[in-house]
């Protein structure tokens, strides 16, 4: 799929966002069962590289080998789905989030999603989850992240819905992120596991790695490398105990 949202000189930058064209997606999956997308690419679409949504959830979707370049909205967006595997995805120069898990209404939900062995370079957050409704049972692992967007994981329901079971494991951030926002942010998320990630922190202002707001259940932060960060996590609201062990931080 090739469209017109491109930079002819191909210098480092990001696609442009225009609201009038934000639904010009490379691929759109609506209310489908058992879809496989393999070894495809999009270039310069105004909307998302690939979108999964609509009134009924799509189920059992597998996307592998997809390349998304110079798009104007999200690299890959999941709005209403149950059972999605995203692997070996390459998202380059996306204008907004790399991977966006965002129900449009409280009646929609995103559940049982795995994102692995992928790369994203975007202007905004690498893994974003705002919107309304439930986004639960999410496993993000062995990915590479580049770009200025921070936090690189952002989870917060606009309508206050509690979400649960997020695992962020073995990811590598290629540039320094943070300041004043943390590298990872979770609000009203129960059961969070952050393990073995490499995410260097900008050495100014807060230098905070993770912020938990009103999170409950089992909160685990282990064996991460947050070099240049001086504070591992901050708890706000009624966040329960955080189990932290063997994380790397700077002393000052």
């Amino acid at each position: 799929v090739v469209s017109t949202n491109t930079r002819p000189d191909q210098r480092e930058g990001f696609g442009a966002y225009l609201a009038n064209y934000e639904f010009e997606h490379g691929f759109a999956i609506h209310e489908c069962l058992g879809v496989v997308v393999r070894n495809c690419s999009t270039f310069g679409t105004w909307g998302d590289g690939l979108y999964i949504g609509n009134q009924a959830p799509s189920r059992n979707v597998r996307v592998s080998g997809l390349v998304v370049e110079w798009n104007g909205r999200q690299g890959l967006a999941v709005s209403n789905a149950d059972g999605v595997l995203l692997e070996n995805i390459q998202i380059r120069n996306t204008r907004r989030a790399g991977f966006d898990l965002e129900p449009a209404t409280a009646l929609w939900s995103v559940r049982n999603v795995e994102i692995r062995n992928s790369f994203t370079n975007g202007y905004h957050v690498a893994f974003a989850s705002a919107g309304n409704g439930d986004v639960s049972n999410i496993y993000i692992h062995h990915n590479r992240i580049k770009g200025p967007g921070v936090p690189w994981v952002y989870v917060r329901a606009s309508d206050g819905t509690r979400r649960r079971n997020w695992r962020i494991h073995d990811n590598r951030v290629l540039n320094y992120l943070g300041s004043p926002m943390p590298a990872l942010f979770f609000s009203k998320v129960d059961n969070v596991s952050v393990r073995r990630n490499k995410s260097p922190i900008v050495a100014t202002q807060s230098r905070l790695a993770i912020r938990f707001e009103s999170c409950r259940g089992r909160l685990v932060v282990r064996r991460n490398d947050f070099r240049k960060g001086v504070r591992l996590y901050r708890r706000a609201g009624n966040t329960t105990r955080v189990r932290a062990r063997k994380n790397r931080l700077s002393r000052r």
Side-chain angles (χ1 to χ4, degrees):
V1 178
V2 178
S3 187
T4 56
N5 186 10
T6 63
R7 292 172 60 99
D9 55 12
Q10 290 297 286
R11 290 178 300 174
E12 183 73 7
F14 303 95
Y17 172 75
L18 290 177
N20 289 341
Y21 303 105
E22 66 175 341
F23 298 111
E24 184 201 70
H25 307 316
F27 300 90
I29 298 172
H30 294 170
E31 305 180 20
C32 295
L33 174 64
V35 176
V36 175
V37 179
R38 182 183 296 122
N39 299 332
C40 297
S41 64
T42 73
F43 187 93
T45 59
W46 288 103
D48 305 331
L50 185 144
Y51 172 84
I52 304 172
N54 220 330
Q55 299 301 316
S58 291
R59 302 180 186 274
N60 300 327
V61 177
R62 180 165 184 162
V63 182
S64 63
L66 175 67
V67 178
V68 177
E69 297 181 281
W70 294 96
N71 62 295
R73 205 170 76 159
Q74 325 293 357
L76 199 152
V78 184
S79 290
N80 197 5
D82 188 349
V84 177
L85 174 61
L86 309 173
E87 61 178 346
N88 298 318
I89 311 297
Q90 299 288 314
I91 299 174
R92 303 167 186 161
N93 308 89
T94 181
R95 181 63 188 183
R96 292 197 164 182
F99 296 88
D100 185 48
L101 311 179
E102 184 177 358
T105 77
L107 299 177
W108 295 20
S109 63
V110 176
R111 299 184 179 123
N112 304 308
V113 176
E114 181 178 358
I115 305 172
R116 68 189 188 196
N117 300 323
S118 296
F119 169 79
T120 177
N121 176 28
Y123 185 70
H124 284 178
V125 179
F127 302 96
S129 185
N132 302 297
D134 187 29
V135 182
S136 294
N137 303 328
I138 309 300
Y139 187 21
I140 298 170
H141 65 102
H142 293 96
N143 303 288
R144 294 180 303 127
I145 297 98
K146 184 181 177 182
V150 63
W152 60 271
V153 174
Y154 178 92
V155 188
R156 185 178 192 176
S158 304
D159 62 356
T161 297
R162 297 201 69 84
R163 296 167 173 179
R164 65 191 184 281
N165 303 334
W166 276 70
R167 291 180 292 165
I168 314 296
H169 294 176
D170 300 291
N171 300 285
R172 182 181 179 189
V173 180
L174 303 179
N175 52 299
Y176 285 75
L177 292 176
S179 179
M181 291 293 288
L184 302 96
F185 177 88
F186 302 93
S187 177
K188 294 186 177 180
V189 185
D190 300 335
N191 304 325
V192 178
S193 176
V194 181
R195 299 174 186 256
R196 299 179 302 275
N197 301 282
K198 293 184 178 180
S199 178
I201 307 298
V202 172
T204 57
Q205 298 186 40
S206 69
R207 299 176 72 175
L208 174 65
I210 307 171
R211 180 176 175 87
F212 295 101
E213 289 187 352
S214 301
C215 297
R216 304 172 186 167
R218 186 172 177 82
L219 309 177
V220 178
V221 181
R222 289 185 180 169
R223 297 182 180 273
N224 300 281
D225 184 347
F226 294 118
R227 67 187 64 188
K228 298 294 185 180
V230 297
R231 184 165 184 174
L232 182 61
Y233 64 86
R234 178 174 291 134
R235 296 189 300 164
N238 59 347
T239 293
T240 56
R241 175 192 170 197
V242 177
R243 296 170 173 83
R245 185 180 178 186
K246 294 186 178 181
N247 298 281
R248 177 179 176 177
L249 294 167
S250 298
R251 293 184 178 180
R252 61 177 182 175

